[in-house]
Amino acid sequence: MRFVLQLGFSNYRNYTAIAQAAEAAGWSWLSIPDSLFFPRLTESDYPYAETSAIRQYLEHSDFIEPFVAMSTMAALTSRIRFYPGVLKVAVRQPLILAKLLSSLAVISNGRVALGAGLSPWKEDFIYNGANFERRGELMDECIAVLRGAMSGEFFEFHGKHHDFGPLRMRPVPEQPVPILIGGHSKPALRRAARLGDGWVSANTDLPTLKDLIAELNAYRAEFGTTGRDFQFHGIDFAARTVDDFKRLAEIGVTDAGVLPWDVRSDPTDLQGQLDAIRRFGDEVIAKMD
């Protein structure tokens, strides 16, 4: 099993020190949160926790654009990998996103994946001129454009929402950038099974993760994609011990998302976070088979 350090409850000023400590302690990934802006009013509900609590968190948190954060940390590390967990893909222009993603993959020697999501917030779409009601179509087209543009070959696309003639993007990475689809809904799970190289959960628990992975695997069988290499990034914040993470591995989790410090702690407490990163490395990562 690999381990993913979740950076949603840390301060961006600590990112570089955290990345270096995590690499030294044996972590495999860093997951960077994505939030474009905070709307004063919203018509949306957050599906994985109480909306008011999530909005309070968003209102009082600072978010660095994930590609800026990942590039900065990649420049100061050599092994650990990165992905946004998850990026609001469908509200971004996919050719520009492809250029960002391929550039970071090349310059970091392939140490990046794309955690790809929609966004539960209607305003992310409306304020960016994207159609919220057609968000599934937008997402599918964005993934197709990303893959085609990063192939290194001439590529054109003619869809409902994106339309362009032959183009070639260079440089592109030697290996395709993995696309990890986020979400618990049936459409998200089916999209992950059909199009993804992996899946990223939101915070959940062991029984729910077990059910979601089983459902996802059933869709993979339906779409004939079970032969494709696939990563299951599961988050169970109740997991603490080696045995807890072995149970996650038994249900199919390949990469466990972890917040090794208390969510209620001061997000600017760098020393406390570094201690927690190293302690988890010694007590869990080093003892996993």
Side-chain angles (χ1 to χ4, degrees):
M1 172 177 280
R2 297 175 294 263
F3 290 90
V4 186
L5 179 58
Q6 304 290 320
L7 292 180
F9 291 91
S10 60
N11 186 274
Y12 66 90
R13 298 184 187 280
N14 296 346
Y15 278 3
T16 53
I18 285 173
Q20 292 171 315
E23 181 169 81
W27 295 77
S28 296
W29 298 92
L30 289 170
S31 175
I32 295 86
D34 177 39
S35 180
L36 293 167
F37 49 74
F38 179 80
R40 179 174 293 175
L41 301 174
T42 184
E43 300 178 26
S44 309
D45 290 322
Y46 186 73
Y48 307 122
E50 185 180 347
T51 297
S52 60
I54 294 298
R55 278 182 56 80
Q56 184 177 21
Y57 159 71
L58 293 173
E59 183 177 12
H60 297 287
S61 299
D62 295 325
F63 293 89
I64 292 295
E65 204 288 325
F67 283 93
V68 173
M70 291 187 293
S71 299
T72 302
M73 291 185 285
L76 297 174
T77 55
S78 60
R79 180 192 58 80
I80 200 163
R81 304 182 71 193
F82 309 89
Y83 66 83
V86 291
L87 194 78
K88 297 172 173 61
V89 167
V91 303
R92 286 172 161 90
Q93 207 288 334
L95 287 175
I96 295 174
L97 179 55
K99 188 62 179 178
L100 287 167
L101 190 58
S102 60
S103 296
L104 179 55
V106 168
I107 209 164
S108 69
N109 294 317
R111 292 187 291 130
V112 62
L114 176 65
L118 281 171
S119 174
W121 311 112
K122 190 173 182 179
E123 293 75 21
D124 278 331
F125 289 83
I126 296 171
Y127 296 175
N128 281 295
N131 190 329
F132 180 72
E133 304 303 327
R134 300 293 183 183
R135 57 193 180 278
E137 293 177 359
L138 280 166
M139 182 69 158
D140 288 352
E141 287 196 9
C142 283
I143 292 171
V145 170
L146 289 172
R147 285 228 168 91
M150 292 192 295
S151 70
E153 304 296 331
F154 278 100
F155 168 73
E156 62 184 285
F157 189 84
H158 306 285
K160 293 181 181 179
H161 306 280
H162 302 94
D163 193 331
F164 53 84
L167 59 84
R168 185 169 68 185
M169 190 172 288
R170 295 181 63 186
V172 297
E174 294 181 3
Q175 299 296 323
V177 175
I179 298 179
L180 316 173
I181 309 294
H184 293 187
S185 68
K186 182 176 179 178
L189 294 174
R190 290 180 66 85
R191 181 174 293 110
R194 180 167 48 92
L195 300 175
D197 302 300
W199 170 73
V200 181
S201 84
N203 182 34
T204 183
D205 53 37
L206 181 66
T208 303
L209 268 178
K210 183 177 181 179
D211 290 344
L212 289 168
I213 290 172
E215 184 178 357
L216 179 50
N217 280 330
Y219 295 142
R220 293 175 69 209
E222 176 185 337
F223 291 119
T225 58
T226 53
R228 179 191 302 164
D229 288 340
F230 200 87
Q231 302 175 25
F232 293 88
H233 290 237
I235 303 174
D236 174 11
F237 281 162
R240 292 287 183 273
T241 68
V242 169
D243 287 341
D244 291 337
F245 290 103
K246 286 184 176 180
R247 282 189 284 270
L248 288 176
E250 288 171 0
I251 66 169
V253 174
T254 60
D255 300 78
V258 181
L259 181 70
W261 52 83
D262 193 321
V263 68
R264 298 164 296 182
S265 64
D266 180 359
T268 66
D269 178 15
L270 175 58
Q271 190 57 55
Q273 292 169 7
L274 297 181
D275 290 344
I277 288 166
R278 293 164 182 149
R279 185 165 56 249
F280 187 87
D282 292 338
E283 296 178 359
V284 176
I285 297 176
K287 297 180 180 179
M288 290 292 290
D289 295 334

